[in-house]
Amino acid sequence: MTTTVPRTRRTSSPDGPLGGLLGSGDAWTDLLVLAGIAAAATTAAGTVVWAAGCSLSLLADHGFGPGLGATLRALAHGTGPAGIWGGVPAWAVVVLAVAYAAAVVLAIAVGVAWWRRRHPPREGYGSRSQYAHLLPGRAALQHVARLRPSLRGRTRLAPSDLGVPLGRFGSARRGPLLRATWEDVVLAICAPRSGKTTCLAVPAILEAPGAVVVTSNKADVWDLTAALRGRDTRERVWTFDPQHVTRTRQDFAWDALDGIDTLADARRLAGHFLHEIRRAETSDFWDRDAEDLLTALILAAALSGAGLAKVATWLTSISAVEPRTILARNGFTQLADVMTGRSHGAHETREGVYATARAAAACLSDPAIMAWVTPRPGLDLFDPAHFVRSHQTLYLLSQDGAGSAAPLIAAFADRLLLDAVRAAEHTRTGRLDPPLVAVLDEAANICRITELPRLYSHLGSRGIVPITILQSRAQGRRVWGQGGMDELFSAATIKLIGAGIDDPTFADDISRLIGETDTRVRTRTHGRGGGTSVTTRRERALPADQVRALPKFTALLLATGIRPTPIRLVPWMDGPRADDIHATASGLDAAS
């Protein structure tokens, strides 16, 4: 059952009063704008008439006449030109006023043409019309009606119903706010302290209309958003924090082995542990065999109901018979035979495989971490299938480094994405409504989901909006390999390139994606026959050095099928929830 989330500001749909006419989406705002336009037009017309009347009055030796304010008041009371300027004919005032107005319009047109000639638009950037579906207006509302059937027929929509906030179009502080649609998948590459948490993570979490999954290795995003999400949604906020990043008391557990009954399921979970050490220069042979070993032990633990802690126990004994017996008893005889053969293999090979598996699953030996994935009385049990259909929020936090809970963070997030896909497949439209938003901050450090590049190719079509935040392209390549990172970059329909890109090859790639533009070059020659000549040459619209030097709180937006454009990121401190966040943060400080 969908719950109604309190909203602080609502806008009208295209069917509402003046909907889509001015693009604001709010009927009262549109009426105020129209009233302002009418007042400005009336004042401008009165000013032109006053200028014409004063000019004719001076020519007739009647003096300059009354001031602008007095003239406008007299005109408003029905006094004609003759009464205002002492006998000046009305027709003469009208003719001269029309001439003045035409001269002003002509001057403006000439000025605009001159400015455009001196400052032509750069060809490499996308235009505002090309980004219409990401901006407030009719195109965005049509996307919402198609992607979220539950909102059809609504007379008013909240801005957050339109999509995930990205930033303001162009570089102006007051430009219109761009929002990713509910079928976009987002990849943000921003250096540390470039605004990725304050400008991307926090607004996306607070404006999400459905369930939210957040990963982080710091407490800041939790401090700023957890209490507000609970207050806004009036639903539960879960904090999975095995390493006490937020110092939150444990009140629930997640059974990581729940639902694992096939070899494929066990291998997927084992892959998250092996992915943790694949950055190191280990042999492919050890990795492959260690993954097979972990797969067998995880499957045996799931089939027996022993729990993940049992896997760590079995890893300490190469000759353990229990997992082989469990596998054989449940029909996995071939896997049991492989384990038997490995236990009788060469000593060096056997030790190398088990050592690699122990290093990958080091966190399973930590009782403090295992307590969070071991159900027991007194703790609530997290239900992924229920979560993905709710408005609840889940924070997944871990420290970096060896022995951290990062493999479990990746496994938890991966399980939720898969359950969300399954839930979407059972809906009439094949999409989640409301959508699930997954903010994968520090994804390359604590949420190395092995299949993430492949997931990106279809999550958007299921109403699942992932926002993967990386510090650099090189960081992504260390985790997913060059091919995997290229696949992730290509599959992302919305890419944000923020400040601090120090990779020269990547900066040059972005520069080439933006393209080239025509630049006029003036050449002056001196001496006899000298003069000035103007030539045109092609050059990068945004050279690589300027990509590297992007200011803080700015980014380049690359949307599928549209030329890139610069945008201005909006920190939460400048957003509509700034006061609420400040009050929440103050309350947390006082409590601590």
Side-chain angles (χ1 to χ4, degrees):
M1 181 177 179
T2 303
T3 59
T4 301
V5 180
R7 305 291 186 184
T8 57
R9 177 172 177 260
R10 296 186 177 272
T11 57
S12 66
S13 71
D15 298 327
L18 301 176
L21 178 63
L22 299 176
S24 71
D26 182 71
W28 291 109
T29 301
D30 290 345
L31 290 173
L32 290 174
V33 170
L34 287 176
I37 293 173
T42 302
T43 302
T47 302
V48 172
V49 170
W50 169 75
C54 290
S55 300
L56 292 173
S57 180
L58 286 172
L59 291 174
D61 292 331
H62 294 161
F64 189 80
L68 175 61
T71 300
L72 293 177
R73 288 191 295 272
L75 291 173
H77 286 87
T79 305
I84 299 174
W85 289 288
V88 174
W91 65 266
V93 174
V94 171
V95 169
L96 188 57
V98 171
Y100 279 174
V104 170
V105 171
L106 180 61
I108 293 174
V110 170
V112 169
W114 175 85
W115 177 263
R116 287 180 174 176
R117 184 176 180 182
R118 294 294 301 272
H119 304 277
R122 290 192 168 184
E123 298 175 12
Y125 294 138
S127 65
R128 185 164 174 168
S129 61
Q130 292 174 318
Y131 282 90
H133 66 294
L134 304 183
L135 292 167
R138 186 174 297 276
L141 294 173
Q142 289 173 345
H143 272 273
V144 171
R146 176 174 62 85
L147 300 174
R148 297 193 59 191
S150 65
L151 298 180
R152 292 174 186 169
R154 292 271 191 95
T155 57
R156 294 183 180 275
L157 295 177
S160 58
D161 290 327
L162 301 180
V164 177
L166 299 173
R168 298 195 180 280
F169 186 82
S171 57
R173 290 179 176 270
R174 300 298 179 184
L177 187 64
L178 290 150
R179 291 179 179 272
T181 70
W182 297 122
E183 61 182 349
D184 282 319
V185 287
V186 183
L187 173 65
I189 301 179
C190 310
R193 291 170 295 282
S194 61
K196 57 183 183 294
T197 298
T198 58
C199 301
L200 297 178
V202 170
I205 294 166
L206 293 181
E207 296 199 25
V212 176
V213 181
V214 186
T215 67
S216 183
N217 59 0
K218 297 185 294 292
D220 53 355
V221 68
W222 181 87
D223 289 338
L224 295 170
T225 61
L228 283 181
R229 272 292 295 181
R231 191 182 76 183
D232 291 347
T233 63
R234 298 177 184 175
E235 293 200 24
R236 182 159 181 175
V237 175
W238 307 81
T239 303
F240 185 79
D241 189 9
Q243 294 184 285
H244 307 290
V245 176
T246 63
R247 293 181 171 83
T248 300
R249 182 181 61 84
Q250 182 184 3
D251 58 359
F252 77 98
W254 169 58
D255 187 356
L257 298 183
D258 181 41
I260 293 182
D261 52 14
T262 68
L263 188 60
D265 293 336
R267 186 172 297 279
R268 191 177 187 103
L269 178 55
H272 295 303
F273 293 98
L274 264 296
H275 208 56
E276 189 68 16
I277 63 172
R278 279 190 179 127
R279 294 178 301 167
E281 295 183 1
T282 55
S283 167
D284 290 342
F285 172 79
W286 301 124
D287 286 352
R288 184 172 60 253
D289 279 18
E291 185 172 2
D292 291 342
L293 174 60
L294 274 178
T295 299
L297 297 181
I298 287 172
L299 183 57
L303 293 172
S304 65
L308 265 181
K310 194 67 173 177
V311 175
T313 302
W314 289 335
L315 281 173
T316 62
S317 175
I318 296 177
S319 59
V321 177
E322 185 181 7
R324 287 177 270 165
T325 303
I326 294 170
L327 292 172
R329 188 170 58 240
N330 285 273
F332 295 93
T333 55
Q334 184 177 359
L335 192 57
D337 292 341
V338 170
M339 286 196 66
T340 301
R342 180 171 289 114
S343 66
H344 292 91
H347 175 75
E348 295 80 3
T349 301
R350 193 169 63 237
E351 288 293 337
V353 171
Y354 269 79
T356 303
R358 291 188 200 105
C363 65
L364 301 184
S365 301
D366 188 336
I369 293 178
M370 294 309 298
W372 289 77
V373 291
T374 305
R376 62 181 188 272
L379 294 178
D380 294 335
L381 186 62
F382 185 86
D383 183 357
H386 173 71
F387 174 85
V388 298
R389 295 182 175 90
S390 71
H391 294 80
Q392 296 177 3
T393 312
L394 171 64
Y395 293 86
L396 303 174
L397 299 114
S398 171
Q399 298 174 3
D400 302 339
S404 72
L408 295 175
I409 300 300
F412 205 160
D414 184 46
R415 178 70 63 83
L416 287 172
L417 293 178
L418 291 179
D419 284 345
V421 170
R422 295 189 187 104
E425 290 173 345
H426 288 85
T427 64
R428 183 176 58 84
T429 61
R431 302 179 56 84
L432 287 182
D433 185 14
L436 180 144
V437 175
V439 181
L440 307 180
D441 194 10
E442 299 292 345
N445 290 326
I446 64 162
C447 190
R448 292 182 279 271
I449 299 175
T450 310
E451 299 293 324
L452 188 61
R454 294 183 182 86
L455 287 172
Y456 253 58
S457 63
H458 69 274
L459 287 180
S461 65
R462 296 301 183 186
I464 304 165
V465 182
I467 306 172
T468 300
I469 303 176
L470 304 176
Q471 296 180 7
S472 66
R473 183 175 66 171
Q475 186 187 52
R477 285 182 170 178
R478 284 196 300 272
V479 175
W480 294 286
Q482 180 171 339
M485 182 58 199
D486 291 347
E487 181 182 358
L488 180 64
F489 191 86
S490 298
T493 58
I494 295 290
K495 292 174 274 284
L496 290 174
I497 311 301
I501 301 300
D502 282 333
D503 181 346
T505 303
F506 186 45
D508 187 66
D509 289 344
I510 297 300
S511 176
R512 286 190 289 109
L513 281 175
I514 296 174
E516 297 181 337
T517 184
D518 288 332
T519 301
R520 289 182 174 85
V521 180
R522 294 178 179 272
T523 304
R524 183 182 298 275
T525 59
H526 300 278
R528 182 173 296 180
T532 301
S533 62
V534 179
T535 58
T536 302
R537 69 182 181 192
R538 300 287 292 178
E539 64 178 22
R540 296 279 182 90
L542 191 69
D545 63 321
Q546 295 185 28
V547 173
R548 179 189 176 278
L550 285 173
K552 188 176 181 179
F553 298 142
T554 61
L556 295 170
L557 171 60
L558 287 70
T560 299
I562 310 175
R563 288 184 176 275
T565 187
I567 68 171
R568 183 173 186 85
L569 304 178
V570 182
W572 63 260
M573 296 81 76
D574 297 335
R577 305 299 302 275
D579 292 341
D580 292 338
I581 296 173
H582 278 302
T584 303
S586 299
L588 288 172
D589 292 340
S592 61

